[in-house]
Amino acid sequence: MTGYCEIALPVPLDRTFTYALRLGQIVQRGMRVVVPFRNEKLIGVVTAVMVDPPADVEVKSLEAVLDDEPLLSEQLLALAEWMAGYYLAPLGEVLRGMLPLSAEVRRTVYYRITDLGRDVLAKQLEATEEEWHREACGDDEDSNIPKSKPNAKRRGKLSLDEQNLEIRVLRRLAEGEAIKVSTLRTATAATLQILAGMLRKKWIARETSAVERDARRTERFAVLVEEARLPKLTKNQEAILAELASAGGELPLAELRKKELSSSTLQTLVRHGLVRIDERMAAFRMGGLRPTAEPFKLNAQQMDALASIVTALGKFKPFLLFGVTGSGKTAVYLEAMKRVLERGLSSILLVPEIGLTPQTVGLLDAAFGQHVALLHSALTPEERSEQWRRIRRGEARIVVGTRSAIFAPAKNLGLILVDEEHDQSYKQEETPRYNARDVAVMRAKLASAVVVMGSATPSLESWQNSVQGKYERIEICDRVMNRPLPEVELIDMRREFQESGREDLFSRSLIEQTKAALDRGEQALILLNRRGYSFAVFCRACGTKLECDNCAIALTHHKSMDGAEIAREGQRLECHYCGMRKTVPARCPKCDSEHMYFLGAGSQQGEERLSEIFPMARIGRMDRDTVRGRYDLERLLARLHAGEINLLVGTQMIAKGHDIHGVTLVGVVGCDHALSMPDFRAAERVFQLMTQVSGRAGRGNLPGRVVVQTYYPDHYAIVAATTHDYKSFAERELKYRRWMHYPPFGVLANVLVQSPKLEEAAGWSSMLGKHLIESLAGEPVRVLGPCTAPIARIKNVYRFHMILKAASRKALNEALKNMMAYADQAGVPRRNMIVDVDALRLM
């Protein structure tokens, strides 16, 4: 008997879809299937199985069932359904994020010509024949017969070459069946942009196929055959055999290629039976920095914290672990995970950014070895699939990763740890826009597990939950081994300018103390929280600011690394939102003035200035421009730990949990500019960043010192950070939040309406704003806006937003659901509207 099932698909639609089962197909909730959807073959997840068909609806059949058993447990499915309701995200897109198994399915894109495309091609051929006829008849320019102008209607923004490419694509597709995109591009030289444009004009249609593939990673080895008789060998053959012998008789082929040994020579040795090629499962490199010091015993406060966590195992219990920087929270995590492992349970440790915490990964690898699995976006799709499968089979009971690791299919989950729970990286900035910290609490509740959120600067939402008793607060007030917190010196940069008469990047005190630390053989960190060399370029004559062509944002100047002293023509301007790059113009593009002014300083300029002041220092830089690859940061931190670098300058990356015992001085430069941002969380973020980077100093045997340069020395966030006084900061900031009904004393959502057409985005946002104001009259929900977003255009998409504030979660959720239903009726596409519940970024 044929059955039916409901499938959640990764499309921006708030519904599931009904499909019929083919003969012999068996499905259960949580299994993956391949289904036809429009012209696509999509992978969905079964959410329900039914016997009776839906009334008056024609249904399609499943293409294939990918799994023999459900991949998602009922617990994870319940979590996905909660997330879809809480964050108002399509269930299919939530489930897609839970299953990092894209490597196990090969997706192929095809294009075919449409009827409209055939009409366009036919008209083009007619126009071409008419042109040939005139030429054959000898018609000249004075002929009364008007010449045909092929493509005149569509010249628009396309060049003649691009128009010819379009016709070439149509001709190729008109020859027969749908063609794979790679084959089509090779045959016609068409770019993806050309194909996308033709797709928008509906001249061609896109189709996809999805089939299973083997995602197992393998590695090929060259193995020395010891029993073989050696004939006369060439020098190259002898070199390969010598390499294999020195390596113990075998080497990966990749290593041989690195040594520039000939692959053809290797094949000759294989034919002669001197070497064989073995294919094996590839080993996974955990990475991380191995601990150099012996683990120390937990102190009394750490033991109390551990006892509280372990005692609660077996039931749902949320903790806020509030410990000053350097108090040994990571040591408590490790000991707690050991106790959980001994009970046959699993643990998940979330970290904000896996690349920024190689020490944590190294500690886990040293402590738990093969019991550890790693999940983060820097892994290849094959590696992610492999690690996910290890977790599901129960081979790895310790999971460490970034926010998506919260969905790991851990067996018998007993403990979830959220390190640096305040970090914004836990909030996903694409659908589904979840906060992994909050999802961790819900998952722990569903699994009857303990969840621990740790930080020296907790988010005010978590702090207020601990004040109200929703979370149990554990405090560690002292650093390990009774090391003192660093002393903090405030430098008023207004007075510095008055006394020195110069607007220098680094104050006199910071330079003097950095020199003293380096002379003593110690290390120093300088925080300069902006990338690039200068963060804006202006014309002194007319005031024009050089902006990105695609975004309403100033271009950042990145100086070339050729030793040039002053920014000059030809160097790089880059947009940090869309990645667009252009060279620095010699003259202003608006008034043709040659007087271009480079405003502000980034980490690149900081590195240059420090090398001028301290020519003998071993200087390194840590930002997104120097740390790009998977192991770049690991190598940089290894050099810092080894003392190869004694002065490091960088962005907020240097504040992320690094434990370098040789650092005794930290300088904070330009951190307070964020206080002028249009964001109610600005003071909280400045306090957190200052406190976290200050905590990098004095973590070894020598005391630390921090020098903070600021133009706001009296601001309460700056003052509290200098005394490491989180509680006084929280008390004052919470008072302001209570007055203004901002979180944690209210809930909010940011609704962003966007479109490549300005009039569409403006019209839709105005319509939705008017509907919200009218429908919420008398309701406990306040609407701010709509108005232009602080960054009005990103990647040529215009942006308008409105903020909804409410006293209760239920009222906000109902208002947003009502708005989304109205938008659907009014024809506002779902993909053009972003609903960000509990938004952290309002830009």
Side-chain angles (χ1 to χ4, degrees):
M1 182 175 62
T2 302
Y4 299 86
C5 56
E6 288 294 315
I7 309 296
L9 295 175
V11 294
L13 297 171
D14 297 304
R15 51 162 297 192
T16 57
F17 299 86
T18 306
Y19 286 87
L21 300 177
R22 297 180 188 270
L23 189 63
Q25 288 180 333
I26 300 174
V27 297
Q28 299 178 53
R29 263 173 58 88
M31 292 172 62
R32 294 174 304 156
V33 293
V34 178
V35 299
F37 186 79
R38 296 175 181 166
N39 295 325
E40 309 268 340
K41 296 291 189 297
L42 298 182
I43 300 169
V45 175
V46 179
T47 60
V49 182
M50 307 166 294
V51 175
D52 298 325
D56 302 324
V57 177
E58 184 178 349
V59 297
K60 297 179 180 179
S61 297
L62 300 183
E63 288 280 334
V65 180
L66 296 179
D67 307 310
D68 296 327
E69 59 181 1
L71 288 188
L72 292 173
S73 64
E74 285 297 327
Q75 184 189 112
L76 284 174
L77 287 171
L79 181 66
E81 289 163 356
W82 173 82
M83 287 176 61
Y86 185 93
Y87 293 105
L88 300 175
L91 178 60
E93 296 196 335
V94 174
L95 291 170
R96 175 174 57 183
M98 285 188 166
L99 290 167
L101 303 176
S102 60
E104 297 182 2
V105 179
R106 179 181 289 109
R107 294 178 60 84
T108 308
V109 177
Y110 296 87
Y111 284 103
R112 61 174 176 80
I113 191 169
T114 63
D115 291 339
L116 180 58
R118 292 185 187 278
D119 292 343
V120 171
L121 182 59
K123 290 178 183 178
Q124 172 65 24
L125 293 176
E126 289 174 7
T128 304
E129 289 176 3
E130 185 180 338
E131 190 70 28
W132 288 345
H133 175 72
R134 280 200 299 270
E135 291 178 1
C137 294
D139 291 335
D140 56 25
E141 293 182 2
D142 296 328
S143 172
N144 291 325
I145 301 175
K147 289 189 177 183
S148 172
K149 294 182 180 180
N151 304 318
K153 289 184 180 179
R154 57 188 186 85
R155 284 188 182 277
K157 298 178 181 179
L158 293 181
S159 67
L160 185 61
D161 288 341
E162 290 172 327
Q163 295 177 46
N164 290 333
L165 278 177
E166 289 185 332
I167 296 301
R168 193 182 303 168
V169 169
L170 292 176
R171 283 175 174 165
R172 181 68 179 85
L173 291 176
E175 294 175 3
E177 298 296 324
I179 299 176
K180 192 158 57 172
V181 62
S182 56
T183 305
L184 182 63
R185 292 185 63 195
T186 302
T188 63
T191 63
L192 291 175
Q193 289 81 1
I194 290 290
L195 295 176
M198 297 176 71
L199 197 62
R200 284 193 297 270
K201 290 183 281 193
K202 299 184 179 179
W203 293 359
I204 61 176
R206 182 178 181 270
E207 299 176 351
T208 63
S209 69
V211 294
E212 286 187 88
R213 65 180 287 265
D214 188 353
R216 290 177 296 182
R217 297 181 305 115
T218 58
E219 193 172 14
R220 301 180 74 199
F221 282 78
V223 182
L224 194 61
V225 180
E226 297 180 359
E227 301 83 7
R229 295 177 59 187
L230 294 179
K232 187 177 180 179
L233 301 172
T234 66
K235 287 185 178 180
N236 287 341
Q237 291 171 343
E238 288 177 351
I240 291 177
L241 294 178
E243 283 289 345
L244 292 175
S246 64
E250 61 180 43
L251 267 178
L253 293 189
E255 290 296 322
L256 283 176
R257 282 193 289 269
K258 288 179 184 177
K259 298 177 185 294
E260 299 182 355
L261 296 171
S262 169
S263 58
S264 60
T265 304
L266 177 63
Q267 291 304 320
T268 302
L269 292 172
V270 171
R271 284 197 301 272
H272 288 331
L274 302 176
V275 175
R276 74 172 187 269
I277 305 298
D278 288 352
E279 190 167 4
R280 307 171 187 172
M281 295 300 295
F284 177 76
R285 183 192 166 193
M286 182 65 68
L289 298 175
R290 294 298 175 268
T292 55
E294 289 294 321
F296 53 84
K297 291 184 178 180
L298 300 186
N299 60 31
Q301 291 187 9
Q302 290 173 310
M303 288 299 295
D304 289 343
L306 177 63
S308 298
I309 296 168
V310 172
T311 303
L313 290 175
K315 61 181 182 294
F316 170 61
K317 181 75 174 179
F319 290 97
L320 175 63
L321 179 56
F322 171 51
V324 298
T325 57
S327 59
K329 294 183 289 295
T330 303
V332 175
Y333 299 157
L334 289 173
E335 286 298 323
M337 286 188 281
K338 284 180 183 178
R339 306 297 175 86
V340 169
L341 194 61
E342 289 169 359
R343 298 189 181 196
L345 303 175
S346 298
S347 303
I348 296 176
L349 170 61
L350 298 184
V351 293
E353 297 181 60
I354 197 72
L356 301 184
T357 52
Q359 285 173 289
T360 302
V361 174
L363 286 168
L364 288 167
D365 193 26
F368 302 109
Q370 291 301 310
H371 290 291
V372 180
L374 198 58
L375 284 177
H376 59 87
S377 60
L379 300 179
T380 65
E382 290 78 13
E383 288 173 331
R384 281 201 297 274
S385 174
E386 176 186 290
Q387 294 294 297
W388 194 91
R389 293 283 182 181
R390 286 185 62 231
I391 298 165
R392 188 172 180 276
R393 290 193 297 265
E395 296 171 9
R397 292 191 173 273
I398 303 291
V399 182
V400 59
T402 49
R403 56 178 178 260
S404 61
I406 191 58
F407 306 126
K411 300 278 187 181
N412 300 321
L413 184 61
L415 176 66
I416 301 175
L417 301 155
V418 186
D419 191 28
E420 307 295 356
E421 65 87 33
H422 66 276
D423 200 287
Q424 290 186 71
S425 301
Y426 286 124
K427 185 74 160 75
Q428 179 151 296
E429 294 302 321
E430 57 189 29
T431 304
R433 294 172 178 264
Y434 66 91
N435 191 318
R437 177 197 66 209
D438 300 334
V439 174
V441 175
M442 179 52 67
R443 178 152 192 204
K445 184 176 182 179
L446 293 171
S448 298
V450 171
V451 57
V452 180
M453 291 155 281
S455 178
T457 55
S459 65
L460 290 176
E461 289 84 351
S462 295
W463 182 260
Q464 185 63 16
N465 279 334
S466 73
V467 170
Q468 294 175 341
K470 294 179 180 178
Y471 300 166
E472 182 176 325
R473 190 193 310 162
I474 305 171
E475 297 192 15
I476 305 179
C477 303
D478 300 316
R479 282 187 157 186
V480 296
M481 303 176 72
N482 292 317
R483 291 168 181 156
L485 287 165
E487 294 183 8
V488 182
E489 176 186 355
L490 272 183
I491 305 296
D492 186 343
M493 294 304 288
R494 300 169 300 180
R495 182 176 300 171
E496 179 77 11
F497 175 73
Q498 293 171 357
E499 294 176 357
S500 67
R502 299 189 310 273
E503 194 170 346
D504 292 327
L505 179 57
F506 302 116
S507 64
R508 293 165 297 173
S509 178
L510 179 56
I511 292 172
E512 291 169 5
Q513 295 192 52
T514 303
K515 182 179 183 303
L518 297 179
D519 289 344
R520 293 192 300 266
E522 299 163 5
Q523 293 171 296
L525 302 182
I526 307 291
L527 170 71
L528 189 51
N529 198 25
R530 283 185 183 270
R531 280 175 59 196
Y533 194 87
S534 304
F535 52 76
V537 182
F538 288 85
C539 172
R540 283 188 180 275
C542 69
T544 295
K545 177 175 64 175
L546 298 187
E547 290 194 343
C548 174
D549 295 343
N550 308 317
C551 310
I553 199 76
L555 291 168
T556 300
H557 170 231
H558 289 256
K559 189 174 177 182
S560 61
M561 305 303 291
D562 58 2
E565 294 182 359
I566 297 178
R568 65 174 195 278
E569 175 192 3
Q571 294 180 3
R572 177 164 56 98
L573 295 172
E574 181 177 340
C575 174
H576 291 166
Y577 283 85
C578 72
M580 190 209 79
R581 296 182 178 185
K582 61 167 62 174
T583 57
V584 178
R587 311 179 77 86
C588 173
K590 184 175 182 180
C591 72
D592 202 39
S593 168
E594 62 181 4
H595 301 293
M596 303 301 292
Y597 176 57
F598 296 81
L599 177 67
S603 55
Q604 191 182 28
Q605 187 175 152
E607 180 186 26
E608 182 181 272
R609 294 285 181 265
L610 289 171
S611 64
E612 293 169 357
I613 299 168
F614 307 108
M616 302 304 292
R618 303 181 299 278
I619 301 175
R621 175 160 58 96
M622 185 188 293
D623 57 28
R624 292 295 179 193
D625 298 308
T626 60
V627 179
R628 291 183 178 274
R630 182 169 164 186
Y631 300 113
D632 288 346
L633 184 82
E634 196 173 303
R635 286 189 286 267
L636 183 61
L637 284 177
R639 292 177 60 207
L640 191 63
H641 279 278
E644 296 176 23
I645 295 172
N646 61 359
L647 180 54
L648 181 68
V649 60
T651 57
Q652 61 183 348
M653 293 173 72
I654 69 174
K656 302 259 185 171
H658 309 305
D659 186 26
I660 302 108
H661 287 197
V663 173
T664 59
L665 178 71
V666 167
V668 182
V669 179
C671 175
D672 54 1
H673 74 272
L675 291 172
S676 60
M677 299 293 283
D679 190 341
F680 70 91
R681 288 192 174 92
E684 181 182 7
R685 287 172 181 154
V686 168
F687 174 84
Q688 288 169 342
L689 181 57
M690 282 185 59
T691 303
Q692 291 290 336
V693 74
S694 298
R696 301 316 105 201
R699 297 173 77 94
N701 295 324
L702 297 174
R705 188 168 180 80
V706 181
V707 178
V708 177
Q709 297 182 183
T710 179
Y711 286 93
Y712 307 103
D714 300 322
H715 194 283
Y716 64 94
I718 304 288
V719 172
T722 61
T723 56
H724 312 284
D725 190 353
Y726 175 85
K727 292 183 178 180
S728 70
F729 167 77
E731 182 180 358
R732 187 160 182 179
E733 180 69 11
L734 285 171
K735 187 185 299 182
Y736 297 144
R737 299 277 184 95
R738 185 180 286 108
W739 289 343
M740 301 302 294
H741 304 288
Y742 276 117
F745 301 105
V747 292
L748 65 78
N750 188 32
V751 179
L752 188 69
V753 181
Q754 54 187 12
S755 171
K757 298 179 181 178
L758 175 61
E759 61 277 10
E760 268 190 352
W764 288 338
S765 63
S766 176
M767 177 178 63
L768 291 176
K770 188 179 298 183
H771 167 76
L772 281 169
I773 292 170
E774 291 174 355
S775 63
L776 295 175
E779 296 292 326
V781 181
R782 186 181 177 191
V783 182
L784 307 179
C787 64
T788 305
I791 302 177
R793 180 169 49 93
I794 294 178
K795 298 180 181 178
N796 281 324
V797 173
Y798 293 92
R799 311 164 76 243
F800 290 78
H801 79 147
M802 53 195 128
I803 296 173
L804 276 67
K805 294 169 59 178
S808 75
R809 177 76 56 191
K810 182 178 179 181
L812 178 67
N813 196 278
E814 289 298 323
L816 290 171
K817 285 181 178 178
N818 177 277
M819 179 204 69
M820 293 169 68
Y822 175 78
D824 187 48
Q825 294 173 3
V828 181
R830 184 71 170 86
R831 63 180 176 274
N832 292 83
M833 185 174 63
I834 294 172
V835 177
D836 191 359
V837 177
D838 297 339
L840 294 184
R841 290 184 174 92
L842 304 177
M843 300 298 287

